[in-house]
Every structure is written in C-alpha cells, then in structure tokens.
Amino acid sequence: MVIEQKIQELLDKRAQARLGGGQKRIDSQHAKGKYTARERINMLLDEGSFEEFDMFLTHRTTDFGLDKQQYLGDGVVTGYGTIEGRVVYVYAQDFTVFGGSLSETMSKKICKVMDQAMKVGAPVIGICDSGGARIQEGSRSLAGYAEIFQRNIDASGVIPQISAIFGPCAGGAVYSPALTDFILMTEQNSYMFLTGPKVVKTVTGEDVSTEDLGGALVHNQKSGVSQFMAATEEEGLQMIRDLVSYLPQNNLEEPPYRPTEDPIDRKDDALNEIIPDNPNKPYDMQRIIHSIVDDGKFLEVHKDFARNLIVGFAHFNGMPVGIVANNPAFFAGVLDINASRKGARFVRFCDAFNIPIVTLVDVPGFLPGTVQEYGGIISHGAKMLFAYGEATVPKVTVTVRKSYGGSHLVMGCKQLRADINYAWPSAEIAVMGPSGAVEVLDGKEIAAITDPAERAELVAKKEQDYRNKFANPYDAAKFGYIDDVIEPRNTRFRIIRALQALETKRDTNPPKKHCNIPL
Ligand code: HXC
C-alpha cells in the first residue's frame, strides 16, 4: 500500500514536471506555432528512446519572489536517446518556464549532459528557445553561460555539436550555438542577435525588425552564422537526424558506412557532354554531384550562403564524404570572402571527424576589387589554403574545367597534400585565363596596333596560342600535378576506387600546441 502511494507520488511529480510552466503557457507556445521542449525532443529522437535526467531539479533563487515560482526541472529538458539507434545527448530549453531563460540550475543540467557526452563520445544536440540570462539570478546566470561555453570549446573537434534555434536566442547566449559545428534555424519564430532592435535603435538610430536583424534568412543568406534553414520545426528536426547519419560519434571513430545498391561502376554518359564548348558558359555543378554520389543523395550545408561554392555530405559506395565544389552558375564560381570562410570551415569539420574530402574544381580565380581586399580576402582565402593543407583525411580532387592561379592552389591541389588528383579532358590549369594572360604578356604589342580589326585578330591569335598551351589538363599532367585524365562519365568509379585505396591512409601534422590559422 505504502509503495503504491510512493509510486503514485512519483507519477504525479512526473506529470507535473512534464507540464513545465503550465498548460496556459504550453497553449501559448502552441499558438505561436511552436512545439514544447519535450515534444521537440520526442520528434528528434527514435520513438521511445528518450531518457530524461534531472526532471526534479529546481532553481535555488529566492529573490524577486522566485521561491514561490518553482517548476520541476526548471527551464530545460535534458537527457539522452538515439537517432537511428546511435546514442546522442540532448537538451531543449523550455520557453514555458521563465521564457527558457538560463538559470544556474539549467546550466548545471546542460553541463551534465555535455560532460557525459564527452565521456562516452557521443554528439550533443541543443535546442534553443530562450529569453537569455535569467535576469533575477544576475551573475550566477552569466557564470552558467560561461560554464557551457567552456564545454563547447573543449568538445569542439571531439564530438559533433549541433544547435537548433527554434525561438529567441539573444545576447551572449548566441555564443554557445556559435561555438558548435552546425546551426539550424526555422524560417518563422527563430532569431539570433547580440543586441535586439530596441538597443540597436537607441545606439545607432537604425530602425530594424527582429526578422531583418537576426531571422533565419539573415543568418542563412547574409551572415553565414547558420548552416541550415527549415520551413518547420518538424522539417528541422528531420534535417538534424539526416545530418547525424553522416557523422561519426566522435573524432576517434570512422563515419558510419551506409549500405547502397548503387553500382560502383555506374557510368553517366551525360557527364561527357555537360561542359559547354564556350568556357564562359555556366552549367549545373549540382547535376555533376548528384550524378556521381550514391543514389543521387546529397545533403547540402550552407545552401543559401556564398552560393558560388557548394559544400555538403554524400556517400561513395557507402563511405561518407564531404564534397567541396565550385559553382559556375553563381558569379562564375569565383572565390570570395564568404566562399572562403564557408569552404575552410567545412574542410576543417570534415578533417576533425575523419570524413574524406572530394573536391570538384571549376574556379576562375579570386574575386578582385576593393570590397574584397578591404574585407581581408587575403586572410580569408588563406583560411581555405590552411584548411586543405592541414587536413590529413583522404583527399581526392577532380578538376572539371577551370583551375586558375591562387584559386587553383586553394581547391585541393597536389602540393597542399591532396592524395589523388584527376582532371577531365575539359580542364584548364593555368596561372590565369587567356584574356588576362594576353593582356599582361602582350598588352603593349597589342596597344601599338591602331587598326581595330587587326588588333582583334592579334588578340584572338594570342589567346588561341595560350589556350593551346594551357587550356587542357596535359600541361599539369606532364609534371605529375594531375595523376590521370579521366573520362567524365567514369568519375564515380574513379573516385570510389581512389577512396578505397586511401581508406587506410595515415598522415600527421608536426606536434604543436595548436595552429594559428588566419582567423
Ligand atoms: C527571466 C524571463 C526572461 C529573462 C523572458 N522571461 N525572458 N524571465 N529572465 N531573461 C519570462 C517573462 O517574464 C515571461 O514570464 C516569460 O518568460 C515569457 O516572456 P514574454 O515576454 O511573455 O514572451 P514573449 O512576448 O514571447 O517575448 C520573448 C522575449 C522577451 C522576446 C524573449 O521575453 C524578452 O525580451 N526577454 C528578455 C530578453 C533579454 O533581454 N534577455 C537578456 C539578454 S542578455 P511569465 O511569467 O509572464 O510567463 C543575456 C546575457 C547573456 O542574455 C550573457 C551570456 C554570456
């Protein structure tokens, strides 16, 4: 009898904890088109796999009458569960409890799952929906943030860390997601900024809406702070499940193999025709990627940011890889500051988590001009160089068309430790394009000709001479910078063979405390 009462007490407490800040606030959350913390966790994880920690923890603040406002579990739901059977640790801020604002207790709960995730070597997924530091707790709340940040830093490169922003994320609170590997935002209801519209108005006089200051579009298209955007929370959580399926549990594991029926020697004749005769005409690099990877499945990362470069995950004969590809359909695939930041961060992520890198090159150069130079393209471009040069994972590069100058070097060239470099017959590997080269080499001779027709004829001839010399892969192949020139339709097979050969690759960097990448 007594035990029955005790069990009933437990069940009552659990029911109370599951109500968070109460039914009224849950209804208000739903009315905004948002799910509660537990609903989100249940959608993210395999059905019935969630094990919750610290359901009965409460905050310890007595000021401002808070001793009379106690909610079991406080403003965050934490624990672990599985995604496709693999363990992940999770926390989801509960907006129904003090607006999900961070208390000392909440920080302890979040740190507990982060510490345990580090011990067992499993990813951490955080779902943010919070009014920031709990105002009533003052510096204890700030210290709580710092405790989380330190763990984000320690875990970086050890376990994958993923953040979903499903509500407000403001002030210094943005820095925990910013320290993680990937951020996903929902189109509606989610925003991130250091200072809100009101403070912006006071300090700078600028009138700006919450959306325009830090909405999902802003951070996916303009700032690059967020890598994924979802129309709904359901879609976002599914995207995270998909993302996790490409990643190893930690930096000591290989990424998970995904069985496929897609034949390794599947040829695509259309690839032999995809490069236009006119070297200045764009084509669809996505078409090449989807053609060569397993089952045409490609998870694009940072899809809406710096679209002149494509990065994302795919499989080759079941092996997960990171793909980096120039996109001639956007600014001719030129590299600029944002593309360099995007590419470098992606390459470093792949290297940290043992994911081989396949690079598809069609790059006319770095974007010239004062905007880029004043913005520090030298340092940003150097990040790409650094990331490729430091990466020890298997690296396979296929040059499909242009590969000019400095941009040739940053896109997985042989001397920056790419392992196997292939080129299509359409490849052009040179210091610069024909028109620029002729201008530099023969500009004076050309300018001396007064007759326009005669001048145009000379320019055409000089450019043709230059093309004959460099607009092919054989000049580079002659020096061993290209290992083989391959038929485009065989690209999938050749990449898979290369990756198979490189599977046991071991390479190291010199011992050091850490590198000094040009941040
Ligand atoms: C305590 C908070 C809170 C906070 C919200 N609440 N933010 N309680 N500390 N920071 C409470 C509200 O009092 C309310 O309680 C409930 O949460 C829901 O908030 P509402 O305002 O009713 O919701 P909504 O209209 O949706 O507005 C959400 C909001 C707004 C935009 C997030 O609450 C807001 O502006 N909050 C303050 C944001 C902020 O400035 N935070 C500090 C940022 S600086 P009841 O009881 O009515 O349900 C910071 C420093 C971090 O965080 C530094 C880290 C290093």
Side-chain angles (χ1 to χ4, degrees):
M1 210 50 184
V2 175
I3 188 66
E4 276 169 16
Q5 273 170 6
K6 289 194 173 184
I7 289 173
Q8 192 53 50
E9 184 189 19
L10 168 67
L11 296 178
D12 290 347
K13 276 187 185 295
R14 283 204 191 288
Q16 191 192 338
R18 289 196 180 107
L19 271 182
Q23 193 57 49
K24 221 171 110 195
R25 291 193 181 94
I26 292 176
D27 293 343
S28 146
Q29 180 85 342
H30 287 159
K32 288 181 203 156
K34 293 162 71 177
Y35 286 103
T36 65
R38 283 189 182 80
E39 287 166 344
R40 288 165 174 167
I41 288 177
N42 287 333
M43 280 191 275
L44 172 68
L45 300 177
D46 295 340
E47 202 178 338
S49 72
F50 181 49
E51 297 287 346
E52 189 169 339
F53 290 157
D54 295 332
M55 204 180 203
F56 308 118
L57 223 64
T58 52
H59 71 74
R60 294 184 296 166
T61 304
T62 52
D63 298 330
F64 302 97
L66 250 63
D67 47 339
K68 293 182 195 66
Q69 291 184 66
Q70 288 288 3
Y71 302 95
L72 291 181
D74 207 4
V76 67
V77 180
T78 61
Y80 68 92
T82 58
I83 290 181
E84 289 178 21
R86 299 157 77 216
V87 171
V88 295
Y89 282 76
V90 287
Y91 68 86
Q93 293 163 340
D94 183 353
F95 193 80
T96 70
V97 176
F98 300 109
S101 58
L102 191 101
S103 65
E104 182 192 16
T105 300
M106 277 171 65
S107 166
K108 282 200 160 64
K109 285 183 70 169
I110 293 171
C111 291
K112 187 191 265 188
V113 288
M114 295 178 83
D115 289 343
Q116 203 167 112
M118 281 289 273
K119 273 189 212 154
V120 306
V124 174
I125 300 162
I127 301 175
C128 304
D129 185 2
S130 162
R134 185 160 308 167
I135 295 163
Q136 298 92 327
E137 292 203 2
S139 60
R140 283 186 294 138
S141 172
L142 298 183
Y145 272 118
E147 297 274 0
I148 296 169
F149 298 167
Q150 184 62 53
R151 281 163 179 81
N152 288 135
I153 295 161
D154 292 344
S156 183
V158 181
I159 50 174
Q161 300 182 81
I162 300 168
S163 306
I165 315 296
F166 284 173
C169 183
V174 295
Y175 283 119
S176 175
L179 289 165
T180 64
D181 298 304
F182 299 104
I183 297 179
L184 177 143
M185 298 178 78
T186 40
E187 273 170 37
Q188 311 289 329
N189 288 328
S190 87
Y191 52 88
M192 298 177 78
F193 39 66
L194 277 174
T195 45
K198 281 186 197 147
V199 178
V200 171
K201 173 84 179 154
T202 315
V203 177
T204 70
E206 196 184 356
D207 250 323
V208 63
S209 69
T210 302
E211 283 291 296
D212 290 344
L213 186 62
L217 277 178
V218 167
H219 288 311
N220 279 273
Q221 293 178 345
K222 291 187 202 298
S223 73
V225 164
S226 170
Q227 287 83 7
F228 297 100
M229 181 164 63
T232 61
E233 291 185 17
E234 286 98 327
E235 185 188 83
L237 295 165
Q238 190 50 50
M239 284 164 84
I240 292 175
R241 286 179 63 91
D242 197 19
L243 173 61
V244 167
S245 75
Y246 289 88
L247 312 181
Q249 292 289 89
N250 57 65
N251 64 333
L252 300 178
E253 271 191 11
E254 299 300 319
Y257 174 83
R258 179 190 288 172
T260 179
E261 301 281 301
D262 202 350
I264 68 168
D265 57 353
R266 176 174 53 75
K267 291 185 169 71
D268 182 357
D269 290 341
L271 292 188
N272 278 7
E273 314 281 320
I274 199 168
I275 303 293
D277 289 339
N278 178 350
N280 298 322
K281 233 177 129 185
Y283 58 91
D284 189 2
M285 181 62 91
Q286 294 272 4
R287 167 79 182 75
I288 298 179
I289 296 170
H290 283 91
S291 157
I292 61 179
V293 300
D294 287 358
D295 309 304
K297 192 168 181 301
F298 176 54
L299 176 66
E300 194 169 350
V301 176
H302 251 153
K303 188 168 166 215
D304 302 302
F305 179 66
R307 297 181 67 186
N308 32 338
L309 191 77
I310 301 168
V311 303
F313 299 107
H315 291 87
F316 278 101
N317 197 33
M319 287 173 281
V321 298
I323 292 184
V324 181
N326 308 109
N327 185 2
F330 278 85
F331 307 123
V334 79
L335 284 175
D336 60 359
I337 291 170
N338 286 347
S340 303
R341 285 172 49 212
K342 168 174 168 174
R345 184 153 171 81
F346 183 73
V347 167
R348 292 195 102 214
F349 176 83
C350 290
D351 188 47
F353 290 102
N354 312 317
I355 300 171
I357 297 160
V358 171
T359 307
L360 302 173
V361 185
D362 184 354
V363 63
F366 277 101
L367 183 62
T370 49
V371 172
Q372 292 290 308
E373 295 291 355
Y374 295 175
I377 183 66
I378 294 173
S379 305
H380 294 290
K383 286 177 186 161
M384 275 282 267
L385 271 177
F386 206 115
Y388 267 103
E390 141 191 85
T392 55
V393 287
K395 287 180 277 185
V396 178
T397 301
V398 182
T399 302
V400 303
R401 190 166 66 175
K402 296 170 194 168
S403 186
Y404 292 158
S407 60
H408 161 72
L409 302 177
V410 306
M411 291 300 298
C413 74
K414 195 80 173 164
Q415 297 71 25
L416 285 157
R417 296 206 291 183
D419 300 292
I420 298 186
N421 291 59
Y422 290 136
W424 285 7
S426 45
E428 306 176 10
I429 300 166
V431 172
M432 59 177 77
S435 57
V438 168
E439 176 69 35
V440 173
L441 295 178
D442 307 301
K444 286 192 192 113
E445 184 189 342
I446 291 163
I449 298 173
T450 47
D451 177 39
E454 208 181 309
R455 195 189 310 140
E457 196 181 326
L458 181 65
V459 169
K461 182 187 173 309
K462 296 266 183 198
E463 286 188 5
Q464 193 50 49
D465 289 348
Y466 185 85
R467 264 197 203 97
N468 292 343
K469 170 91 181 126
F470 292 118
N472 61 69
Y474 301 106
D475 187 67
K478 189 167 76 184
F479 298 103
Y481 306 151
I482 292 295
D483 297 299
D484 198 6
V485 180
I486 64 173
E487 244 196 281
R489 65 191 184 131
N490 289 340
T491 303
R492 169 176 166 80
F493 180 61
R494 300 299 294 264
I495 290 175
I496 291 173
R497 292 296 309 278
L499 290 169
Q500 285 172 336
L502 295 167
E503 222 169 341
T504 50
K505 176 187 173 187
R506 287 286 172 266
D507 200 355
T508 53
N509 288 314
K512 54 180 104 172
K513 186 172 175 190
H514 58 69
C515 66
N516 189 17
I517 187 166
L519 294 173

CSV table of all heavy atoms in Angstrom, one decimal, residues 440-479:
chain,number,residue,atom,x,y,z
A,440,VAL,N,48.5,40.9,-70.0
A,440,VAL,CA,49.7,41.1,-69.3
A,440,VAL,C,51.0,40.9,-70.2
A,440,VAL,O,51.9,41.7,-70.2
A,440,VAL,CB,49.8,40.1,-68.1
A,440,VAL,CG1,51.2,40.2,-67.4
A,440,VAL,CG2,48.7,40.4,-67.1
A,441,LEU,N,50.9,39.8,-70.9
A,441,LEU,CA,52.1,39.4,-71.7
A,441,LEU,C,52.3,40.3,-73.0
A,441,LEU,O,53.4,40.6,-73.3
A,441,LEU,CB,52.1,37.9,-72.1
A,441,LEU,CG,52.1,36.9,-71.0
A,441,LEU,CD1,52.0,35.5,-71.5
A,441,LEU,CD2,53.4,37.0,-70.2
A,442,ASP,N,51.2,40.6,-73.6
A,442,ASP,CA,51.3,41.2,-74.9
A,442,ASP,C,50.6,42.5,-75.1
A,442,ASP,O,50.3,43.0,-76.2
A,442,ASP,CB,50.7,40.2,-76.0
A,442,ASP,CG,51.4,38.9,-75.9
A,442,ASP,OD1,52.6,38.8,-76.0
A,442,ASP,OD2,50.6,37.9,-75.6
A,443,GLY,N,50.2,43.1,-73.9
A,443,GLY,CA,49.4,44.3,-73.9
A,443,GLY,C,50.0,45.4,-74.7
A,443,GLY,O,49.3,46.1,-75.5
A,444,LYS,N,51.3,45.6,-74.6
A,444,LYS,CA,52.0,46.8,-75.3
A,444,LYS,C,52.0,46.5,-76.8
A,444,LYS,O,51.7,47.4,-77.5
A,444,LYS,CB,53.4,46.9,-74.8
A,444,LYS,CG,53.5,47.5,-73.4
A,444,LYS,CD,54.9,47.9,-73.0
A,444,LYS,CE,55.0,48.2,-71.5
A,444,LYS,NZ,55.8,47.2,-70.8
A,445,GLU,N,52.3,45.3,-77.2
A,445,GLU,CA,52.3,45.0,-78.6
A,445,GLU,C,50.9,45.2,-79.2
A,445,GLU,O,50.8,45.8,-80.3
A,445,GLU,CB,52.7,43.5,-78.8
A,445,GLU,CG,52.9,43.1,-80.2
A,445,GLU,CD,53.1,41.5,-80.3
A,445,GLU,OE1,53.4,40.9,-79.3
A,445,GLU,OE2,52.9,41.0,-81.4
A,446,ILE,N,49.9,44.8,-78.5
A,446,ILE,CA,48.5,44.9,-79.0
A,446,ILE,C,48.1,46.4,-79.1
A,446,ILE,O,47.5,46.8,-80.0
A,446,ILE,CB,47.6,44.1,-78.1
A,446,ILE,CG1,47.8,42.6,-78.3
A,446,ILE,CG2,46.1,44.4,-78.4
A,446,ILE,CD1,47.3,41.7,-77.2
A,447,ALA,N,48.5,47.1,-78.0
A,447,ALA,CA,48.1,48.6,-78.0
A,447,ALA,C,48.7,49.3,-79.1
A,447,ALA,O,48.2,50.4,-79.6
A,447,ALA,CB,48.4,49.2,-76.6
A,448,ALA,N,49.8,48.9,-79.6
A,448,ALA,CA,50.6,49.6,-80.6
A,448,ALA,C,49.8,49.5,-82.0
A,448,ALA,O,50.1,50.3,-82.9
A,448,ALA,CB,52.0,49.1,-80.8
A,449,ILE,N,48.9,48.5,-82.1
A,449,ILE,CA,48.2,48.4,-83.4
A,449,ILE,C,47.0,49.3,-83.4
A,449,ILE,O,46.1,49.2,-82.5
A,449,ILE,CB,47.7,46.9,-83.5
A,449,ILE,CG1,49.0,46.0,-83.6
A,449,ILE,CG2,46.9,46.7,-84.8
A,449,ILE,CD1,48.7,44.5,-83.6
A,450,THR,N,46.9,50.1,-84.4
A,450,THR,CA,45.8,51.1,-84.4
A,450,THR,C,44.6,50.6,-85.1
A,450,THR,O,43.5,51.0,-84.7
A,450,THR,CB,46.3,52.4,-85.2
A,450,THR,OG1,47.0,52.0,-86.4
A,450,THR,CG2,47.3,53.2,-84.3
A,451,ASP,N,44.7,49.7,-86.1
A,451,ASP,CA,43.5,49.2,-86.8
A,451,ASP,C,42.8,48.2,-85.9
A,451,ASP,O,43.3,47.2,-85.5
A,451,ASP,CB,43.9,48.5,-88.1
A,451,ASP,CG,42.7,47.9,-88.8
A,451,ASP,OD1,41.7,48.6,-88.8
A,451,ASP,OD2,42.8,46.8,-89.3
A,452,PRO,N,41.5,48.6,-85.5
A,452,PRO,CA,40.8,47.7,-84.5
A,452,PRO,C,40.6,46.3,-85.0
A,452,PRO,O,40.8,45.3,-84.2
A,452,PRO,CB,39.4,48.4,-84.5
A,452,PRO,CG,39.6,49.7,-85.0
A,452,PRO,CD,40.7,49.7,-85.9
A,453,ALA,N,40.4,46.0,-86.3
A,453,ALA,CA,40.2,44.7,-86.8
A,453,ALA,C,41.5,43.9,-86.7
A,453,ALA,O,41.5,42.7,-86.2
A,453,ALA,CB,39.7,44.7,-88.3
A,454,GLU,N,42.6,44.6,-87.1
A,454,GLU,CA,43.9,43.9,-87.0
A,454,GLU,C,44.2,43.6,-85.5
A,454,GLU,O,44.7,42.5,-85.2
A,454,GLU,CB,44.9,44.9,-87.5
A,454,GLU,CG,46.1,44.2,-88.1
A,454,GLU,CD,47.1,45.2,-88.7
A,454,GLU,OE1,46.7,46.1,-89.4
A,454,GLU,OE2,48.3,45.2,-88.3
A,455,ARG,N,43.8,44.5,-84.6
A,455,ARG,CA,44.1,44.3,-83.2
A,455,ARG,C,43.3,43.1,-82.7
A,455,ARG,O,43.9,42.3,-82.0
A,455,ARG,CB,43.8,45.6,-82.4
A,455,ARG,CG,44.4,45.6,-81.0
A,455,ARG,CD,43.9,46.7,-80.1
A,455,ARG,NE,44.0,48.0,-80.7
A,455,ARG,CZ,43.0,48.9,-80.6
A,455,ARG,NH1,42.0,48.7,-79.9
A,455,ARG,NH2,43.2,50.1,-81.2
A,456,ALA,N,42.1,43.1,-83.0
A,456,ALA,CA,41.2,42.0,-82.6
A,456,ALA,C,41.7,40.6,-83.1
A,456,ALA,O,41.7,39.6,-82.3
A,456,ALA,CB,39.8,42.2,-83.0
A,457,GLU,N,42.2,40.6,-84.3
A,457,GLU,CA,42.8,39.4,-84.9
A,457,GLU,C,44.0,38.9,-84.1
A,457,GLU,O,44.1,37.7,-83.8
A,457,GLU,CB,43.1,39.7,-86.3
A,457,GLU,CG,43.3,38.4,-87.1
A,457,GLU,CD,43.7,38.7,-88.6
A,457,GLU,OE1,43.3,39.8,-89.1
A,457,GLU,OE2,44.5,38.0,-89.1
A,458,LEU,N,44.9,39.9,-83.7
A,458,LEU,CA,46.1,39.5,-83.0
A,458,LEU,C,45.7,39.0,-81.6
A,458,LEU,O,46.2,38.0,-81.1
A,458,LEU,CB,47.0,40.7,-82.8
A,458,LEU,CG,48.3,40.4,-82.1
A,458,LEU,CD1,49.2,39.4,-82.9
A,458,LEU,CD2,49.1,41.7,-81.8
A,459,VAL,N,44.7,39.7,-80.9
A,459,VAL,CA,44.3,39.2,-79.6
A,459,VAL,C,43.8,37.8,-79.7
A,459,VAL,O,44.1,36.9,-78.9
A,459,VAL,CB,43.2,40.2,-79.0
A,459,VAL,CG1,42.6,39.6,-77.8
A,459,VAL,CG2,43.8,41.5,-78.7
A,460,ALA,N,42.9,37.5,-80.7
A,460,ALA,CA,42.3,36.2,-80.9
A,460,ALA,C,43.4,35.2,-81.1
A,460,ALA,O,43.4,34.1,-80.5
A,460,ALA,CB,41.4,36.2,-82.0
A,461,LYS,N,44.4,35.5,-81.9
A,461,LYS,CA,45.5,34.6,-82.2
A,461,LYS,C,46.3,34.3,-80.9
A,461,LYS,O,46.6,33.1,-80.6
A,461,LYS,CB,46.4,35.1,-83.2
A,461,LYS,CG,47.6,34.2,-83.6
A,461,LYS,CD,48.6,34.8,-84.6
A,461,LYS,CE,49.8,33.8,-84.8
A,461,LYS,NZ,50.4,33.3,-83.5
A,462,LYS,N,46.6,35.4,-80.2
A,462,LYS,CA,47.4,35.2,-78.9
A,462,LYS,C,46.7,34.4,-77.9
A,462,LYS,O,47.2,33.5,-77.2
A,462,LYS,CB,47.8,36.6,-78.3
A,462,LYS,CG,48.6,37.5,-79.2
A,462,LYS,CD,50.1,37.3,-78.8
A,462,LYS,CE,51.0,38.2,-79.6
A,462,LYS,NZ,52.4,37.8,-79.6
A,463,GLU,N,45.4,34.6,-77.8
A,463,GLU,CA,44.6,33.9,-76.8
A,463,GLU,C,44.5,32.4,-77.2
A,463,GLU,O,44.5,31.5,-76.4
A,463,GLU,CB,43.1,34.5,-76.7
A,463,GLU,CG,43.1,35.8,-76.0
A,463,GLU,CD,41.7,36.3,-75.7
A,463,GLU,OE1,40.7,35.6,-75.9
A,463,GLU,OE2,41.6,37.4,-75.1
A,464,GLN,N,44.4,32.2,-78.6
A,464,GLN,CA,44.4,30.8,-79.0
A,464,GLN,C,45.7,30.1,-78.7
A,464,GLN,O,45.7,28.9,-78.3
A,464,GLN,CB,44.0,30.7,-80.5
A,464,GLN,CG,43.6,29.3,-81.0
A,464,GLN,CD,42.6,28.7,-80.2
A,464,GLN,OE1,41.5,29.3,-79.9
A,464,GLN,NE2,42.8,27.4,-79.7
A,465,ASP,N,46.8,30.8,-78.9
A,465,ASP,CA,48.1,30.2,-78.6
A,465,ASP,C,48.2,29.8,-77.1
A,465,ASP,O,48.6,28.7,-76.8
A,465,ASP,CB,49.2,31.2,-78.9
A,465,ASP,CG,49.4,31.4,-80.4
A,465,ASP,OD1,48.8,30.6,-81.2
A,465,ASP,OD2,50.1,32.4,-80.8
A,466,TYR,N,47.7,30.7,-76.3
A,466,TYR,CA,47.7,30.5,-74.8
A,466,TYR,C,46.8,29.3,-74.5
A,466,TYR,O,47.2,28.4,-73.7
A,466,TYR,CB,47.2,31.7,-74.1
A,466,TYR,CG,47.3,31.7,-72.6
A,466,TYR,CD1,48.4,32.0,-71.9
A,466,TYR,CD2,46.2,31.3,-71.8
A,466,TYR,CE1,48.5,31.9,-70.5
A,466,TYR,CE2,46.2,31.2,-70.5
A,466,TYR,CZ,47.4,31.5,-69.8
A,466,TYR,OH,47.5,31.4,-68.4
A,467,ARG,N,45.6,29.2,-75.1
A,467,ARG,CA,44.7,28.1,-74.9
A,467,ARG,C,45.3,26.8,-75.3
A,467,ARG,O,45.2,25.8,-74.6
A,467,ARG,CB,43.4,28.3,-75.7
A,467,ARG,CG,42.3,28.9,-74.9
A,467,ARG,CD,40.9,28.8,-75.4
A,467,ARG,NE,40.2,29.9,-74.9
A,467,ARG,CZ,39.9,31.0,-75.5
A,467,ARG,NH1,40.4,31.2,-76.7
A,467,ARG,NH2,39.3,32.0,-74.9
A,468,ASN,N,46.0,26.8,-76.5
A,468,ASN,CA,46.6,25.6,-76.9
A,468,ASN,C,47.6,25.1,-75.9
A,468,ASN,O,47.8,23.9,-75.7
A,468,ASN,CB,47.3,25.8,-78.3
A,468,ASN,CG,46.3,26.0,-79.4
A,468,ASN,OD1,45.1,25.8,-79.2
A,468,ASN,ND2,46.8,26.6,-80.5
A,469,LYS,N,48.3,26.0,-75.2
A,469,LYS,CA,49.3,25.6,-74.3
A,469,LYS,C,48.7,25.2,-72.9
A,469,LYS,O,49.0,24.2,-72.4
A,469,LYS,CB,50.2,26.8,-74.1
A,469,LYS,CG,51.2,26.7,-72.9
A,469,LYS,CD,52.5,26.1,-73.4
A,469,LYS,CE,53.5,26.0,-72.3
A,469,LYS,NZ,54.0,24.6,-72.1
A,470,PHE,N,47.7,26.0,-72.4
A,470,PHE,CA,47.2,25.8,-71.1
A,470,PHE,C,45.8,25.3,-70.9
A,470,PHE,O,45.4,24.9,-69.8
A,470,PHE,CB,47.4,27.0,-70.2
A,470,PHE,CG,48.9,27.3,-70.0
A,470,PHE,CD1,49.4,28.5,-70.4
A,470,PHE,CD2,49.7,26.5,-69.3
A,470,PHE,CE1,50.7,28.8,-70.2
A,470,PHE,CE2,51.0,26.8,-69.0
A,470,PHE,CZ,51.5,28.0,-69.5
A,471,ALA,N,45.0,25.5,-72.0
A,471,ALA,CA,43.5,25.2,-71.8
A,471,ALA,C,43.3,23.7,-72.0
A,471,ALA,O,42.5,23.2,-72.8
A,471,ALA,CB,42.7,26.0,-72.7
A,472,ASN,N,44.1,22.9,-71.2
A,472,ASN,CA,44.0,21.4,-71.2
A,472,ASN,C,44.6,20.9,-69.9
A,472,ASN,O,45.3,21.6,-69.3
A,472,ASN,CB,44.7,20.9,-72.5
A,472,ASN,CG,46.1,21.3,-72.4
A,472,ASN,OD1,46.9,20.8,-71.6
A,472,ASN,ND2,46.6,22.1,-73.3
A,473,PRO,N,44.4,19.7,-69.6
A,473,PRO,CA,45.0,19.2,-68.4
A,473,PRO,C,46.4,18.6,-68.5
A,473,PRO,O,47.0,18.3,-67.6
A,473,PRO,CB,44.0,18.0,-68.0
A,473,PRO,CG,43.5,17.6,-69.3
A,473,PRO,CD,43.4,18.8,-70.3
A,474,TYR,N,46.9,18.6,-69.8
A,474,TYR,CA,48.1,17.8,-70.0
A,474,TYR,C,49.4,18.6,-69.6
A,474,TYR,O,50.4,17.9,-69.3
A,474,TYR,CB,48.2,17.4,-71.5
A,474,TYR,CG,47.0,16.6,-71.8
A,474,TYR,CD1,45.9,17.1,-72.6
A,474,TYR,CD2,46.9,15.3,-71.3
A,474,TYR,CE1,44.8,16.3,-72.9
A,474,TYR,CE2,45.7,14.5,-71.6
A,474,TYR,CZ,44.7,15.0,-72.3
A,474,TYR,OH,43.6,14.3,-72.6
A,475,ASP,N,49.3,19.9,-69.6
A,475,ASP,CA,50.5,20.6,-69.1
A,475,ASP,C,50.7,20.3,-67.6
A,475,ASP,O,51.9,20.1,-67.2
A,475,ASP,CB,50.3,22.2,-69.3
A,475,ASP,CG,51.6,22.9,-69.0
A,475,ASP,OD1,52.6,22.7,-69.7
A,475,ASP,OD2,51.6,23.6,-67.9
A,476,ALA,N,49.6,20.3,-66.8
A,476,ALA,CA,49.8,19.9,-65.4
A,476,ALA,C,50.1,18.4,-65.3
A,476,ALA,O,50.9,18.0,-64.4
A,476,ALA,CB,48.5,20.2,-64.7
A,477,ALA,N,49.5,17.6,-66.1
A,477,ALA,CA,49.7,16.1,-66.0
A,477,ALA,C,51.2,15.8,-66.4
A,477,ALA,O,51.8,14.9,-65.8
A,477,ALA,CB,48.8,15.4,-67.0
A,478,LYS,N,51.8,16.6,-67.3
A,478,LYS,CA,53.1,16.4,-67.7
A,478,LYS,C,54.1,16.5,-66.5
A,478,LYS,O,55.1,15.8,-66.4
A,478,LYS,CB,53.5,17.5,-68.7
A,478,LYS,CG,54.8,17.4,-69.4
A,478,LYS,CD,54.8,18.3,-70.6
A,478,LYS,CE,55.1,19.8,-70.1
A,478,LYS,NZ,55.0,20.7,-71.2
A,479,PHE,N,53.7,17.3,-65.5
A,479,PHE,CA,54.6,17.5,-64.3
A,479,PHE,C,54.1,16.6,-63.1
A,479,PHE,O,54.6,16.7,-62.0
A,479,PHE,CB,54.6,19.0,-63.9
A,479,PHE,CG,55.2,19.8,-65.0
A,479,PHE,CD1,54.3,20.6,-65.8
A,479,PHE,CD2,56.5,19.9,-65.2
A,479,PHE,CE1,54.9,21.4,-66.8
A,479,PHE,CE2,57.1,20.7,-66.2
A,479,PHE,CZ,56.2,21.5,-67.0
